[in-house]
Amino acid sequence: MATFTWTRRVAVCLSLAALSQAAMADALQDITKRGAVRVGVFLDYPPFGSLSPSLKKQGYDIELAEIIAKGLGVKADLVQITGDNRIPMLTSKKVDILMSVGKNAEREKVIDFAQAYAPYYLAVFGGKTTGVKNSADLAGKTLAVTRGTLEDTAISKEAPAAANIKRFDEPNGAITAFVTGQVALLVVGNDVGANIMQKYPKVSMEQKYQLFSSPSHVAVGKGETALKNKVDAILTKAKTDGSLNSISVKWLKAPLPKDLKD
């Protein structure tokens, strides 16, 4: 009976050791073993991620995902995500990292963040000949904005009473009003602004000033410190060698901000 009990104790100890080793296995080890990093990307969010006419994945996040994969020494397995499922996709380990995630205290409870890699902000855009440098210059100007959005809230707080804010029920309405010259200024995110510049080059549009900032981060699973540190090192190198700036100029039509931070 004593021998049986001792044997069982040894078996239990071995089992616990095996479980402990499994628990110690982290996402970075899994990625290396798999030979691929599963990257959650949007494919309906240009210029960060979209499909070309030939259905090829393209965009800021797509190119950065390839850089991250190369830095990890593996292939990039691009997994389409949505706004609703992206955090659960990461917490359930269906993807290893997420692109285009805004950092906030609530999300930090369930996932971890590598450093910021792309600017995301709301801004006032207008033609190059429109003299606007700050909110005071909006007096006497007509602006287009989508009703009830963060853009609407932000510009309503700081625009002087003499500014004429035209609110549209749909984003396309506000954009059309601007590109057809019905309004002098447009309040949108920098990603939307970049798309308009690319689609309507004759409009001669430029950013006037920034309203609200929430940079894009790469997110990793909670407690995945080794992976986070590796991604941080890859992003630091991409910023230093200019490759991330090249992506920003290509897709956002603006250089990477030198003061980009959390």
Side-chain angles (χ1 to χ4, degrees):
M1 185 68 172
T3 302
F4 176 73
T5 302
W6 175 253
T7 302
R8 286 190 63 187
R9 287 179 178 175
V10 171
V12 169
C13 289
L14 290 174
S15 296
L16 290 175
L19 288 172
S20 178
Q21 288 181 341
M24 290 175 64
D26 59 27
L28 183 57
Q29 293 174 346
D30 293 340
I31 290 167
T32 302
K33 183 178 180 180
R34 189 188 309 124
V37 56
R38 299 168 302 178
V39 185
V41 295
F42 290 107
L43 293 179
D44 57 354
Y45 183 37
F48 286 95
S50 63
L51 294 174
S52 72
S54 62
L55 301 183
K56 180 181 179 181
K57 298 179 180 71
Q58 62 179 10
Y60 193 117
D61 286 352
I62 309 304
E63 294 195 16
L64 181 56
E66 295 293 343
I67 289 177
I68 291 174
K70 184 177 180 181
L72 294 172
V74 297
K75 295 181 179 179
D77 180 8
L78 303 177
V79 180
Q80 185 173 3
I81 57 172
T82 67
D84 289 335
N85 75 10
R86 57 180 176 162
I87 303 299
M89 289 280 281
L90 181 59
T91 57
S92 64
K93 300 185 182 297
K94 293 180 180 177
V95 297
D96 303 304
I97 65 175
L98 289 178
M99 310 297 287
S100 288
V101 187
K103 184 178 179 180
N104 61 43
E106 192 65 25
R107 288 174 178 166
E108 282 188 294
K109 294 177 182 178
V110 294
I111 60 177
D112 285 338
F113 292 87
Q115 62 186 264
Y117 71 88
Y120 178 76
Y121 52 83
L122 304 182
V124 175
F125 290 85
K128 292 182 179 179
T129 59
T130 303
V132 171
K133 295 182 179 179
N134 51 51
S135 59
D137 293 336
L138 299 179
K141 304 291 194 305
T142 304
L143 305 89
V145 67
T146 305
R147 188 188 314 276
T149 59
L150 185 59
E151 292 93 321
D152 188 2
T153 302
I155 198 64
S156 296
K157 285 182 179 179
E158 68 170 68
N164 180 16
I165 302 176
K166 287 195 172 184
R167 295 175 174 85
F168 295 80
D169 292 331
E170 298 292 336
N172 285 339
I175 294 170
T176 299
F178 173 73
V179 299
T180 58
Q182 299 174 49
V183 298
L185 300 164
L186 176 67
V187 184
V188 290
N190 65 307
D191 55 336
V192 177
N195 277 334
I196 296 171
M197 291 181 198
Q198 184 172 7
K199 191 173 182 179
Y200 302 99
K202 292 183 180 180
V203 174
S204 188
M205 173 182 174
E206 69 177 9
Q207 178 182 312
K208 296 303 181 180
Y209 72 96
Q210 184 174 314
L211 291 170
F212 170 86
S213 179
S214 178
S216 293
H217 289 256
V218 176
V220 303
K222 193 67 180 175
E224 297 292 354
T225 305
L227 178 58
K228 175 189 176 299
N229 291 343
K230 184 65 176 179
V231 172
D232 273 333
I234 294 169
L235 291 175
T236 296
K237 181 178 184 298
K239 291 175 181 177
T240 302
D241 66 20
S243 55
L244 196 55
N245 183 69
S246 295
I247 295 175
S248 181
V249 170
K250 178 180 179 179
W251 292 105
L252 297 180
K253 309 304 178 186
L256 193 72
K258 293 182 179 180
D259 60 347
L260 181 66
K261 51 189 175 182
D262 296 353

